[in-house]
């Protein structure tokens, strides 16, 4: 499984966790159906959930005229997933995480999602790089 597909599965699991409040392990099983859960996807989901408060605090200052709770569930999941990657997955360049998030937004979000995601993540990247 390539990393793009793994990220799609991670987004599906994060969406289910956010909307249905189900256990991350169950959400991963649902996302993978009959397949074996990919380790990269599992790491993304568990890492995002484990660091959710810090990730949300990283995102919130960059939501001009928005509250995190009011974002579309898909956009919130994409931002959380990419912010996790940028902050904690040191072997993945931030530009790759942003590009992948934009592609997820194009596939799963609305017409404005990709531009919104790009703007927020670009600002988060600046914050992380100055730390």
């Amino acid at each position: 499984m390539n990393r793009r597909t793994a990220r799609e599965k991670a987004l599906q699991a994060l969406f289910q966790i956010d909307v249905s409040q189900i256990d991350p392990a169950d959400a991963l099983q649902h996302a993978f159906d009959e397949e074996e859960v990919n380790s990269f996807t599992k790491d993304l989901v568990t890492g995002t959930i484990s660091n959710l408060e810090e990730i949300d605090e990283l995102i919130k200052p960059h939501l001009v005229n928005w509250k995190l709770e009011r974002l579309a569930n898909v956009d919130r999941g994409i931002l959380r997933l990419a912010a996790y990657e940028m902050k904690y997955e040191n072997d993945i360049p931030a530009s790759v995480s942003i590009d992948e998030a934009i592609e997820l937004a194009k596939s799963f979000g609305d017409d404005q999602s990709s531009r919104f995601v790009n703007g927020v993540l670009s600002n988060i990247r600046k914050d992380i790089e100055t730390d």
Side-chain angles (χ1 to χ4, degrees):
M1 173 179 296
N2 65 36
R3 285 192 165 196
R4 176 161 294 166
T5 304
R7 285 182 180 93
E8 288 176 3
K9 300 282 189 186
L11 177 60
Q12 291 170 2
L14 289 170
F15 182 88
Q16 290 180 7
I17 294 164
D18 192 32
V19 171
S20 303
Q21 304 297 311
I22 68 172
D23 182 69
D26 291 338
L28 282 164
Q29 285 302 322
H30 288 267
F32 278 87
D33 204 23
E34 297 295 319
E35 298 174 64
E36 184 177 335
V37 175
N38 174 285
S39 63
F40 178 64
T41 304
K42 183 177 180 182
D43 291 346
L44 290 176
V45 172
T46 58
T48 300
I49 297 302
S50 296
N51 296 288
L52 196 57
E53 283 185 39
E54 187 174 353
I55 291 166
D56 285 353
E57 291 307 312
L58 196 60
I59 295 169
K60 285 177 184 178
H62 305 290
L63 300 177
V64 180
N65 299 321
W66 285 94
K67 291 188 184 263
L68 188 64
E69 303 78 29
R70 300 279 307 189
L71 293 179
N73 294 333
V74 169
D75 292 346
R76 185 172 47 244
I78 292 169
L79 290 173
R80 285 173 169 169
L81 179 63
Y84 166 76
E85 272 192 40
M86 291 172 18
K87 178 84 174 165
Y88 297 100
E89 294 288 333
N90 297 325
D91 63 323
I92 301 171
S95 59
V96 171
S97 298
I98 293 171
D99 288 345
E100 291 291 329
I102 292 167
E103 291 305 314
L104 287 171
K106 287 178 182 176
S107 295
F108 298 102
D110 65 23
D111 293 340
Q112 304 300 315
S113 291
S114 61
R115 288 192 346 211
F116 175 73
V117 164
N118 184 26
V120 172
L121 293 177
S122 294
N123 288 326
I124 290 171
R125 178 185 188 176
K126 291 175 191 170
D127 282 356
I128 291 172
E129 288 175 351
T130 59
D131 282 349

